Amino acid sequence: MKSAIYPGTFDPMTYGHLDIIKRAANIFDEVVVSVLNNKEKTPLFSVSERVNILKEATKDIPNVRVESFEGLLTDYCKKIGVNVVVRGLRAVTDFEYELQMSQMNRKLSNHRVETIYFNTTLKYSYLSSSAVKQIAQFHGDLSAFVPDFVAKLLYERFGYKE
Ligand code: PNS
């Protein structure tokens, strides 16, 4: 069985993330979507909220599992026995950071962990969780960027009734 991990901050998950998850689930037998519990950052949503959002959004995709992890990605890969990391590339600006991360992960795992990139579907190429949070803060239209239930949670978090 070929499994892959799709790690990220997912604060919150967007349609861009969901697109990568669906495409990865078409290729791999199992996709483990895993939320990083990064104690250095102050996210808008807690780890369990982010996990629950991802679980709800992927509930109809049987070969997707949602988890969270702490510490090094390569240690987590070893722990759950998965050697393929999936990431999305939106634009050239993502490339440098992604390349560095993948090379570091290869080194840290004695060349066991490989990273595979999905180029983001064009209509999501400018989409990011940070942009979504900014739009939500000013009660802007989120319908093209996140599922309705996520938009509702975002508006609530910024003090809007709906
Ligand atoms: O959604 P993001 O914020 O781009 O995801 C980044 C993530 C979670 C994939 C990355 O920060 C990560 O893997 N962090 C775990 C710490 C780690 O393993 N660092 C060494 C690789 S540079």
Side-chain angles (χ1 to χ4, degrees):
M1 182 157 111
K2 200 72 210 161
S3 302
I5 296 180
Y6 180 30
T9 304
F10 303 110
D11 187 39
M13 179 215 76
T14 68
Y15 279 142
H17 295 126
L18 199 53
D19 176 57
I20 304 288
I21 295 170
K22 286 178 182 164
R23 286 159 64 200
N26 279 337
I27 291 176
F28 293 95
D29 298 312
E30 180 190 46
V31 177
V32 184
V33 182
S34 202
V35 176
L36 173 66
N37 186 358
N38 185 349
K39 300 214 162 96
E40 282 164 24
K41 280 193 186 171
T42 319
L44 185 63
F45 294 104
S46 69
V47 171
S48 59
E49 285 171 325
R50 284 177 276 156
V51 165
N52 287 339
I53 289 172
L54 282 156
K55 279 188 176 165
E56 175 63 25
T58 59
K59 65 176 187 228
D60 295 328
I61 318 172
N63 57 334
V64 169
R65 191 169 96 216
V66 185
E67 296 187 345
S68 63
F69 77 104
E70 274 178 46
L72 289 178
L73 178 60
T74 45
D75 289 342
Y76 173 64
C77 287
K78 197 172 174 185
K79 191 174 130 201
I80 67 167
V82 177
N83 288 328
V84 179
V85 171
V86 160
R87 295 280 291 170
L89 273 183
R90 285 167 301 190
V92 192
T93 40
D94 283 340
F95 183 76
E96 215 169 311
Y97 167 63
E98 292 295 336
L99 184 69
Q100 188 190 29
M101 207 158 56
S102 108
Q103 286 171 336
M104 185 58 87
N105 286 335
R106 243 167 83 74
K107 173 73 183 161
L108 287 173
S109 65
N110 281 326
H111 296 196
R112 274 190 203 96
V113 171
E114 292 286 358
T115 306
I116 291 183
Y117 297 100
F118 284 75
N119 54 346
T120 304
T121 298
L122 205 55
K123 65 178 172 178
Y124 302 131
S125 61
Y126 52 87
L127 183 52
S128 70
S129 298
S130 329
V132 159
K133 282 182 278 193
Q134 278 181 30
I135 298 164
Q137 194 176 351
F138 300 106
H139 209 215
D141 182 5
L142 289 169
S143 56
F145 312 132
V146 293
D148 286 350
F149 80 95
V150 180
K152 196 166 175 285
L153 291 171
L154 277 158
Y155 292 140
E156 273 169 18
R157 194 60 39 118
F158 286 109
Y160 298 102
K161 288 272 179 309
E162 113 138 25

